Amino acid sequence: MTSPRSISRLEKIRLGGTEQWIRIQGKDTSNPVLLLIQQGPGLPMLNEAADGNKLWHLEDDFVVVYWDQRACGKSFSTAIPPESMTLDQLMTDTHELMQALTQRFQVAQLYVTGFSFGGTIAALVAARHPELIRALVCVNLDVKFDVAERVAYDFALEQATRLGNKRAVRELRRIGLPPHLDSKTFSTRVKWVTNFGGVNRQESYTRLLLKTLRQLVLSRDYTLFDIVRTLRGMSFVQDQLLPKLATLNLFEQLPRLDVPVFLLQGRHDYVAPVSSAEQFYQMLQAPQGKQLVWFDESAHTPQYEEPGKFREVLLTIKHHCEEGRGQ
């Protein structure tokens, strides 16, 4: 039986001058609000709502907000100016969404969980607007773009050579050493890093792609037209955004965060390197507390590779934050 305080809504919201889409799900609107920010660049999020809740059951304990960011998924439009695809604009969009959610649910702060590049956006917004964030959870955070590119490429080429995979060696040598700042070369590298277990230790690139397509087709939120737009949006975002991420360096850009910070990191990640995560954690000044949580059986997607632990960590964070607030 549906509770009178439950919520399940697909909504259009104007952020940064463009129309974007969110899905709000929760069993009780009096629960804390949790904003999820998708990895990327270019990937949708609304399509993951059904599978995500089956794995994590976060909607039992939070009001969960899934968001197709600017030019991603259902939010893609040919009217979006290419020049608006900047990290600063994505931060502005995120801040506006956070403000809208605090007003909508009459709360002072949100829980924010960002995956990979989504964690980078979340962390940068937290530095500018700590007053809006109860706790920040960054899952396999992108810290330094050029280092991550080189680690990923070296891993893929080394594995291809070791395994005698001539096609992989040929394709990787064809795109050459990083930087890979367009959708074609970026996708080639991602494909082979994925196939050799650097993204998800159980899934190949093709299986992950088919999973995304299945989610899009089965989702109640996407029409066939939306699915086509989603695929167009992926390459559009990557082609516009990747050149601007080449100088991303959180060691310089993010020395301090004035919110409770939780860095979740897969031990076998070859997209967001373990070494960068450890160095960033050690360097980061976090007066309200910081914690580095390891996922020993995961690569770049611990939320899917170890979903039970992911849920447990988020509920523990909620418990500690709410307990502290009540004292």
Side-chain angles (χ1 to χ4, degrees), residues 295-310:
F295 284 72
D296 292 327
E297 304 303 320
S298 297
H300 192 59
T301 56
Q303 69 273 24
Y304 286 115
E305 296 170 84
E306 297 179 69
K309 181 173 180 178
F310 175 70

Side-chain angles (χ1 to χ4, degrees), residues 9 17 22 34 115 137 143 151 164 175 206 212 311 322:
R9 290 183 59 86
I22 59 175
L34 169 64
F115 304 99
V137 181
V143 175
V151 167
I175 66 172
T206 299
T212 300
R311 169 180 164 77
E322 299 304 306

Side-chain angles (χ1 to χ4, degrees), residues 25-322:
Q25 294 284 132
K27 291 192 173 179
D28 190 334
T29 53
S30 67
N31 280 333
V33 180
L34 169 64
L35 173 62
L36 301 180
I37 304 181
Q38 177 62 300
Q39 60 193 27
L43 295 177
M45 185 76 199
L46 300 186
N47 60 300
E48 297 194 18
D51 283 355
N53 191 49
K54 288 176 185 175
L55 285 173
W56 313 320
H57 304 288
L58 293 175
E59 295 167 20
D60 295 348
D61 301 276
F62 296 93
V63 175
V64 184
V65 181
Y66 306 86
W67 172 32
D68 275 1
Q69 300 170 60
R70 172 180 294 258
C72 295
K74 199 175 177 73
S75 299
F76 176 74
S77 166
T78 55
I80 294 174
E83 62 272 17
S84 76
M85 299 305 302
T86 65
L87 189 55
D88 202 62
Q89 183 60 61
L90 296 180
M91 291 164 60
T92 298
D93 291 354
T94 305
H95 176 230
E96 290 183 13
L97 177 56
M98 290 180 181
Q99 286 183 308
L101 292 172
T102 57
Q103 293 167 10
R104 164 77 175 272
F105 291 99
Q106 294 297 296
V107 294
Q109 295 177 313
L110 313 171
Y111 290 84
V112 180
T113 296
F115 304 99
S116 187
F117 177 59
T120 303
I121 297 171
L124 290 168
V125 174
R128 288 187 181 180
H129 305 285
E131 72 283 355
L132 292 176
I133 297 178
R134 185 71 188 97
L136 172 68
V137 181
C138 297
V139 183
N140 291 58
L141 178 73
D142 285 338
V143 175
K144 195 170 188 295
F145 194 78
D146 59 345
V147 170
E149 280 204 299
R150 189 58 188 259
V151 167
Y153 183 81
D154 288 350
F155 166 75
L157 187 57
E158 178 185 310
Q159 292 299 308
T161 303
R162 182 179 68 82
L163 296 168
N165 189 321
K166 293 180 181 179
R167 181 186 170 195
V169 170
R170 184 172 63 251
E171 291 188 9
L172 288 165
R173 291 202 183 283
R174 185 183 299 141
I175 66 172
L177 292 171
H180 302 134
L181 303 179
D182 61 83
S183 58
K184 187 174 181 180
T185 57
F186 177 78
S187 297
T188 297
R189 188 187 77 223
V190 168
K191 176 178 70 175
W192 291 114
V193 172
T194 304
N195 283 341
F196 295 131
V199 173
N200 183 311
R201 299 178 81 200
Q202 286 82 43
E203 304 280 6
S204 68
Y205 180 79
T206 299
R207 286 182 63 177
L208 287 177
L209 183 61
L210 290 174
K211 176 185 173 183
T212 300
L213 289 172
R214 177 188 62 82
Q215 289 175 335
L216 288 166
V217 170
L218 295 180
S219 172
R220 54 184 163 168
D221 295 333
Y222 297 88
T223 64
L224 180 59
F225 180 60
D226 290 332
I227 295 172
V228 172
R229 290 196 303 172
T230 296
L231 299 177
R232 289 184 64 186
M234 288 181 188
S235 58
F236 171 79
V237 172
Q238 289 169 8
D239 286 332
Q240 297 302 321
L241 204 54
L242 286 170
K244 297 161 188 171
L245 296 182
T247 57
L248 177 71
N249 182 351
L250 296 191
F251 294 113
E252 295 178 354
Q253 295 166 261
L254 200 66
R256 176 184 171 117
L257 283 169
D258 290 303
V259 299
V261 183
F262 301 86
L263 303 181
L264 280 52
Q265 179 71 33
R267 287 275 187 193
H268 307 278
D269 190 353
Y270 286 93
V271 177
V274 167
S275 57
S276 294
E278 290 180 311
Q279 292 166 19
F280 180 70
Y281 175 74
Q282 294 298 330
M283 177 221 75
L284 180 67
Q285 300 174 47
Q288 294 196 37
K290 61 180 181 178
Q291 185 176 348
L292 177 57
V293 182
W294 290 103
F295 284 72
D296 292 327
E297 304 303 320
S298 297
H300 192 59
T301 56
Q303 69 273 24
Y304 286 115
E305 296 170 84
E306 297 179 69
K309 181 173 180 178
F310 175 70
R311 169 180 164 77
E312 179 185 329
V313 169
L314 261 62
L315 292 187
T316 300
I317 291 169
K318 177 195 172 191
H319 174 74
H320 286 320
C321 288
E322 299 304 306

Side-chain angles (χ1 to χ4, degrees), residues 7-19:
I7 187 169
S8 176
R9 290 183 59 86
L10 174 69
E11 296 186 1
K12 181 165 58 176
I13 183 171
R14 196 161 185 83
L15 303 170
T18 67
E19 290 183 346

